[in-house]
Amino acid sequence: MPLPDAERALADLADRMRGAVAFDAKFVGIYSGGAWVAQRLAQMIPGEHMLGYIDVSFYRDDFNRTGLKPALKRTEISFPVDGATIVLVDDVLYTGRSVRAAINELFDYGRPARIELAVLVDRGGRELPIEPTYAGARLAVAENISLALARAGDGALSFSAETSASKAADA
Amino acid sequence: MADVKIEIRNGRIVDPKHGVDRVATLYVAAGKVAAIGAAPAGWSPTRTIDAKGLVVAPGLVDLSARLREPGFEYKATLESEMLAAVAGGVTSLACPPDTDPPLDEPGLVEMLKHRARSLNQAHVYPVGALTVGLKGVELTEMGELAEAGCIAFSQSEAPLVDTQVLLRAMQYASTFGYRVWLRPQDPHLGRGGVAHDAEVATRLGLAAIPASAETIALATIFALVRETGASVHVCRLSTADGVAMVAAAKKSGLAVTCDVAVHHLHLCDNDIGWFDALCRLVPPLRGTRDRAALRAGLADGTIDAVCSDHSPVDDDAKQVPFAEAEPGATGLELLLPLTLKWAAENKVGLPDALARITARPAAILGLDTGHLGPGQPADICIFDPQQSWTVIPSALASQGKNTPFLGLELAGRVRCTLVAGQVVHED
Amino acid sequence: MRNPQLDAEGRLVHLLTLEGLPAEVIVRILDAAVPFASISERDVKKVPLLRGRSVFNLFFENSTRTRTTFEIAAKRLSADVINLNIGASSTSKGETLLDTVDNLTAMNADMFVVRHAESGAPHLIAAHLNRTGRSHVHVVNAGDGRHAHPTQGLLDLFTIRHYKHDFRRLTVAIVGDVLHSRVARSLIHGLTTLGTPEVRVVGPKTLLPTAVQAMGVQVHHDMRSGIAGCDVVVMLRLQNERMKGALLPSAGEFFKHYGLTPGKLALAKPDAIVMHPGPMNRGVEIDSAVADGARSVILPQVTFGIAVRMAVMSMLAGG
């Protein structure tokens, strides 16, 4: 299966969002890939797009099975969530569970006016009724392959794929 | 009974007192040792025991075994503990006075002796209370208690705070030639302590008992012995400095004897691990240096005898935080294998090892037992020094399953015990 | 002997003591506490990690402060919290310690936070749970006798790391009644495990335990030399009972020799921090001017304590 071109998908995603997102929409990226994408989008899309970052570790639904992740990051939301228009940004949309966790976490900060979802790649395989508002690329990926976004020293984004014996991790 | 004749064949007969160590046949008749080697005239045995490959020794003499009667029957009874004694090859034992009520009345002593006799197992020699109620204030009627059967007088672990009373007790006892058995523990130092005062207690945050609690008490005891001429036996040494003091005292001509508990020959404070209450003992398990001195002291004769200090404790009393646990370990059935283990590790020959649990404790008790001279009552322990067994609760006849050796394999299994020529235990 | 706090795969299943915990485990707990600290700054101070779990605070020794911080930590993780104050001796009420534990486990307890006056009580409970096939029920030691107070040790380490960053360059002094202090013992284990080159204990001979050097510390009886050049000064609480046990003549004399005053603090490094596990005896071990002064981090310790306890409970409860 050919790997998706991350920079191409990013350009397509930005095209779809330009003119469609609110001028003052906040871009909240889900660590780590979503955070990188959110930062690039903020540069590429005109408007006042404050950045925020979410670590969904404390809201995941698989804590009982897998425990705390080793490398936790701090959620940083420095703007008021009450009444805000927020675009949640993630690199890969798969089962939808990470987005569910991120939405729950956002609501613990306040009551947003609206939440939209922007993803670099939608790989299908949804287990929850969640759809992206904006997607860079859509493709079908086999269950046992996990897609990961990487960022090079110069900031260039690229995808890598890993095959495993069982189903890839939820995203 | 008079016509019971038992032939114990081809065992290695070891009688330390008479210097006997040879493979031969031992003949028992009318409850006594009739002959060794050649059969008596007209011999026709009613029973033969094949002792090939086994050791035939005098029945063991244990200087301290708590039978828990009267008063502590929920921990153990005379029946179970007497069974445990003969299962361990012990045919004579001394029990301390810390029963409930304490053994300070002749009636209690008589009842205990009567109960024990009726079970037809090991001989029980009660140690009477030195002071009334063990309270350390008034002297007991030692004359009456001696007549009832007490072979010595002690405070067991109860403190005797008033040295004036201790002096007078020793003077009184020595007037009549009664033996006084004393634990060397200062009543104030280490009061409330539960572990040896060193690194382990510091790390585990346990209240500690310094070695000086023993050495200061020893100094007091020796000074009073010099003054009164009392016949004193020191119970349960635990420190290296204590062993050195006993050696110096003996060298200077002081007639004292002393013993060590068998668990202290093998364990030290490190064995407490993560608060294992099975290692909660009195005196406490001390350091490696102390253990080494106890092992060497028993080997070179500074320490005269080793005892089990048998103290059955019910499970509930050990399944509590360390400092709240009742101290003590079960020991009657471990005295022999643990003594053999000490002997093997310290290169002590079998006759010398056995002397410390037969002839020497008998001498301390002032009894003509612990040996196999002709005409002696046939108190015999037949055991296999090579046979290993695992220390698990079901392998112990005692109601006390509380030993730090649970789960471990030990060598030395009693196969048959005879008391007064009767077989009272067979494996 | 295997550390009863770790399972066969080396995962933390109980937190009983910092002694014998590998450095990686300690660091993992400290790292996990960082995001938990920021939860406390939000309006909604809860995360759903322990939702549906029952945490039982089993306090055999009274302590409103410690119990409250554990309660807050557990509730911020959305756990159900049940408080049991069992008083000094459970056996006097007829039920043994382990019977109480068995009864509560039968009520589907997931975690016990245990404080007991006797050293070794949490180990006894953890061993009992392991032995009876219930090692999924976790034990957190909230202080046992003089032995250990691991969550306090961890929050002290967290505090030191927050202000001083690298343990391997620090000199730390622990001052006061080390003999009776589980806080001191836990902190000493934590500091030595994380590579602190110089850990000092400072106090009179009556208040320092025998052979304490074996724990990896230097002994000072003179506070001036004990504090000289320190990066961190930890003051321990002095209890009134110590005067009765012939360990000290008076609180006044203790303060004279070992109380932390601005004058004595000046002997430490200019940027040294002052810590205290609380509650403080002002004028006995610490002068108010120091306790309320710029170098004191005593109040941040309390805040960090909640985050650290949230981290510990989450790590234990995770699959």
Side-chain angles (χ1 to χ4, degrees):
Chain A
M1 181 207 81
L3 282 175
D5 179 338
E7 289 292 337
R8 176 75 193 275
L10 180 62
D12 288 343
L13 176 60
D15 280 342
R16 291 183 184 120
M17 287 172 76
R18 236 176 253 117
V21 293
F23 186 80
D24 63 348
K26 321 277 192 266
F27 292 171
V28 177
I30 301 178
Y31 285 117
S32 309
W36 299 329
V37 174
Q39 284 165 352
R40 293 286 300 276
L41 287 174
Q43 292 161 2
M44 293 160 82
I45 299 172
E48 274 168 28
H49 301 300
M50 286 184 70
L51 284 166
Y53 306 101
I54 279 198
D55 181 311
V56 295
S57 301
F58 295 159
Y59 290 79
R60 298 180 64 90
D61 62 9
D62 58 358
F63 172 70
N64 289 346
R65 269 187 300 125
T66 58
L68 272 189
K69 300 282 171 219
L72 299 170
K73 295 188 171 56
R74 282 174 67 136
T75 293
E76 287 171 38
I77 313 269
S78 52
F79 51 82
V81 168
D82 278 333
T85 298
I86 291 176
V87 181
L88 263 181
V89 182
D90 206 0
D91 50 357
V92 177
L93 175 60
Y94 180 20
T95 60
R97 292 176 190 272
S98 294
V99 174
R100 194 279 315 163
I103 293 175
N104 272 82
E105 184 161 357
L106 273 178
F107 270 85
D108 273 350
Y109 280 84
R111 186 180 181 279
R114 88 195 262 131
I115 298 180
E116 296 179 327
L117 177 63
V119 300
L120 203 53
V121 166
D122 174 353
R123 61 173 281 183
R126 216 76 77 236
E127 290 172 359
L128 296 175
I130 288 179
E131 287 306 308
T133 321
Y134 317 99
R138 289 194 148 81
L139 59 152
V141 178
E143 203 179 74
N144 65 333
I145 294 180
S146 66
L147 278 182
L149 190 68
R151 185 167 72 174
D154 62 356
L157 297 173
S158 62
F159 276 111
S160 64
E162 226 176 75
T163 311
S164 62
S166 53
K167 182 169 169 257
D170 300 333
Chain B
M1 299 302 169
D3 51 1
V4 169
K5 290 185 166 66
I6 302 181
E7 184 173 316
I8 304 171
R9 275 204 192 150
N10 299 321
R12 176 183 171 191
I13 301 180
V14 181
D15 181 0
K17 182 166 180 181
H18 299 293
V20 173
D21 183 1
R22 64 187 172 104
V23 174
T25 296
L26 193 149
Y27 301 89
V28 175
K32 298 194 193 308
V33 175
I36 293 179
W43 176 260
S44 172
T46 52
R47 179 163 173 187
T48 312
I49 297 174
D50 179 9
K52 184 152 176 254
L54 307 179
V55 173
V56 178
L60 308 186
V61 179
D62 193 344
L63 291 177
S64 179
R66 286 186 165 92
L67 303 173
R68 299 302 192 191
E69 272 191 33
F72 298 107
E73 287 84 353
Y74 62 93
K75 294 185 195 299
T77 58
L78 214 54
E79 279 82 1
S80 60
E81 302 320 295
M82 297 291 276
L83 264 177
V86 295
V90 172
T91 57
S92 298
L93 60 92
C95 57
D98 57 2
T99 46
D100 182 19
L103 296 178
D104 60 2
E105 292 258 303
L108 292 167
V109 176
E110 274 155 13
M111 197 162 64
L112 180 59
K113 285 210 69 146
H114 178 75
R115 277 264 291 142
R117 249 194 322 266
S118 69
L119 291 173
N120 270 321
Q121 287 166 325
H123 307 290
V124 173
Y125 299 99
V127 177
L130 188 64
T131 61
V132 172
L134 294 172
K135 293 206 176 84
V137 178
E138 294 168 46
L139 301 184
T140 50
E141 294 181 300
M142 293 185 218
E144 302 277 333
L145 289 169
E147 244 173 73
C150 288
I151 46 89
F153 298 93
S154 92
Q155 284 285 107
S156 190
E157 287 158 29
L160 213 173
V161 181
D162 191 337
T163 27
Q164 180 88 281
V165 172
L166 178 59
L167 168 65
R168 296 202 172 132
M170 287 168 70
Q171 279 175 328
Y172 186 79
S174 85
T175 307
F176 304 98
Y178 300 140
R179 291 178 194 82
V180 180
W181 287 16
L182 295 169
R183 288 234 184 192
Q185 52 186 53
D186 184 271
H188 303 297
L189 285 175
R191 191 175 53 224
V194 299
H196 174 53
D197 192 7
E199 292 158 33
V200 171
T202 288
R203 270 194 308 104
L204 295 181
L206 294 171
I209 307 168
S212 55
E214 180 165 293
T215 52
I216 287 177
L218 275 176
T220 304
I221 291 170
F222 292 156
L224 292 180
V225 169
R226 281 191 198 98
E227 203 168 302
T228 60
S231 171
V232 166
H233 172 73
V234 172
C235 304
R236 305 322 102 75
L237 278 190
S238 70
T239 64
D241 289 344
V243 174
M245 285 178 72
V246 170
K250 284 186 172 183
K251 193 161 172 206
S252 77
L254 204 65
V256 281
T257 54
C258 66
D259 69 51
V260 64
V262 77
H263 279 87
H264 288 66
L265 289 178
H266 296 286
L267 303 170
C268 67
D269 54 1
N270 287 326
D271 293 299
I272 296 175
W274 293 113
F275 303 98
D276 186 357
L278 294 174
C279 287
R280 168 98 169 89
L281 302 176
V282 173
L285 293 170
R286 300 235 185 231
T288 51
R289 184 183 146 254
D290 301 295
R291 177 178 56 183
L294 293 170
R295 289 157 76 88
L298 184 64
D300 69 24
T302 305
I303 302 176
D304 301 88
V306 55
C307 66
S308 70
D309 209 18
H310 179 75
S311 304
V313 174
D314 51 303
D315 214 39
D316 279 349
K318 287 290 192 185
Q319 289 285 324
V320 288
F322 191 87
E324 290 176 4
E326 189 176 319
T330 194
L332 279 168
E333 295 157 272
L334 300 173
L335 178 62
L336 176 66
L338 289 178
T339 301
L340 295 177
K341 183 166 146 69
W342 160 81
E345 289 162 1
N346 285 265
K347 305 203 180 357
V348 173
L350 186 61
D352 279 338
L354 288 177
R356 283 145 176 79
I357 44 177
T358 55
R360 301 244 194 107
I364 289 168
L365 288 170
L367 299 170
D368 183 19
T369 183
H371 66 96
L372 298 171
Q376 267 298 100
D379 295 341
I380 298 171
C381 169
I382 304 172
F383 67 90
D384 183 346
Q386 315 293 348
Q387 188 181 345
S388 284
W389 56 286
T390 309
V391 183
I392 48 174
S394 53
L396 298 172
S398 167
Q399 279 190 41
K401 313 296 183 188
N402 50 308
T403 166
F405 290 92
L406 269 181
L408 296 181
E409 222 182 55
L410 294 175
R413 185 91 179 142
V414 173
R415 299 288 280 273
C416 183
T417 307
L418 290 89
V419 173
Q422 305 275 27
V423 173
V424 291
H425 168 78
E426 272 181 280
D427 193 19
Chain C
M1 190 182 307
R2 183 153 69 79
N3 193 324
Q5 320 187 68
L6 304 173
D7 67 7
E9 281 91 50
R11 277 180 312 211
L12 198 67
V13 290
H14 305 293
L15 180 66
L16 305 174
T17 172
L18 294 189
E19 185 181 358
L21 270 195
E24 313 89 71
V25 174
I26 295 181
V27 171
R28 209 181 323 143
I29 297 173
L30 299 183
D31 287 342
V34 174
F36 281 113
S38 51
I39 305 288
S40 306
E41 287 149 29
R42 303 189 323 201
D43 279 346
V44 175
K45 297 177 184 5
K46 271 193 195 234
V47 295
L49 279 176
L50 262 62
R51 201 158 62 92
R53 309 286 188 108
S54 298
V55 174
F56 283 71
N57 280 333
L58 267 187
F59 275 56
F60 294 90
E61 191 187 54
N62 266 328
S63 166
T64 316
R65 295 175 90 243
T66 307
R67 208 197 64 221
T68 308
T69 55
F70 273 102
E71 190 174 341
I72 293 175
K75 285 182 171 166
R76 288 195 182 162
L77 293 170
S78 304
D80 296 322
V81 179
I82 294 95
N83 290 314
L84 291 130
N85 277 344
I86 305 200
S89 168
S90 64
T91 51
S92 68
K93 308 219 173 10
E95 193 178 55
T96 66
L97 171 60
L98 293 183
D99 281 342
T100 306
V101 167
D102 284 343
N103 287 339
L104 295 174
T105 331
M107 294 184 214
N108 292 320
D110 294 294
M111 190 177 294
F112 290 112
V113 175
V114 181
R115 169 168 279 202
H116 200 285
E118 292 296 350
S119 302
H123 271 84
L124 177 72
I125 295 174
H128 179 66
L129 291 169
N130 287 347
R131 208 177 34 238
T132 50
R134 290 170 298 173
S135 49
H136 60 278
V137 180
H138 307 286
V139 179
V140 178
N141 182 4
D144 63 328
R146 302 178 194 177
H147 171 237
H149 197 353
T151 57
Q152 179 73 40
L154 286 167
L155 79 87
D156 287 343
L157 292 172
F158 186 90
T159 306
I160 294 172
R161 191 174 83 158
H162 179 86
Y163 291 99
K164 296 292 173 187
H165 314 300
D166 189 355
F167 290 95
R168 289 166 306 181
R169 296 190 338 224
L170 298 181
T171 300
V172 178
I174 303 173
V175 183
D177 184 1
V178 178
L179 175 60
H180 297 95
S181 174
R182 51 193 170 213
V183 169
R185 283 174 176 78
S186 285
L187 183 55
I188 290 170
H189 287 305
L191 287 170
T192 51
T193 301
L194 294 182
T196 310
E198 198 168 324
V199 181
R200 302 176 187 162
V201 291
V202 184
K205 289 183 185 180
T206 47
L207 294 181
L208 295 181
T210 307
V212 69
Q213 296 91 326
M215 290 180 71
V217 301
Q218 291 173 18
V219 172
H220 290 256
H221 299 304
D222 180 342
M223 186 161 175
R224 297 190 170 270
S225 69
I227 296 203
C230 276
D231 300 281
V232 180
V233 180
V234 180
M235 301 305 297
L236 299 174
R237 180 179 155 71
L238 184 74
Q239 290 175 298
N240 283 328
E241 295 93 84
R242 308 305 165 224
M243 265 57 83
K244 294 189 204 129
L247 293 161
L248 289 175
S250 67
E253 187 144 304
F254 180 81
F255 185 73
K256 181 173 151 191
H257 291 297
Y258 299 102
L260 187 60
T261 59
K264 293 213 193 101
L265 183 56
L267 296 167
K269 286 209 178 110
D271 59 348
I273 53 172
V274 173
M275 295 171 54
H276 193 302
M280 287 186 282
N281 282 324
R282 290 164 183 270
V284 176
E285 64 258 9
I286 190 166
D287 196 276
S288 279
V290 175
D292 304 325
R295 316 249 224 105
S296 160
V297 299
I298 295 172
L299 287 177
Q301 277 178 274
V302 178
T303 316
F304 295 148
I306 297 179
V308 164
R309 284 161 179 136
M310 288 173 78
V312 166
M313 291 180 172
S314 306
M315 276 186 68
L316 290 173

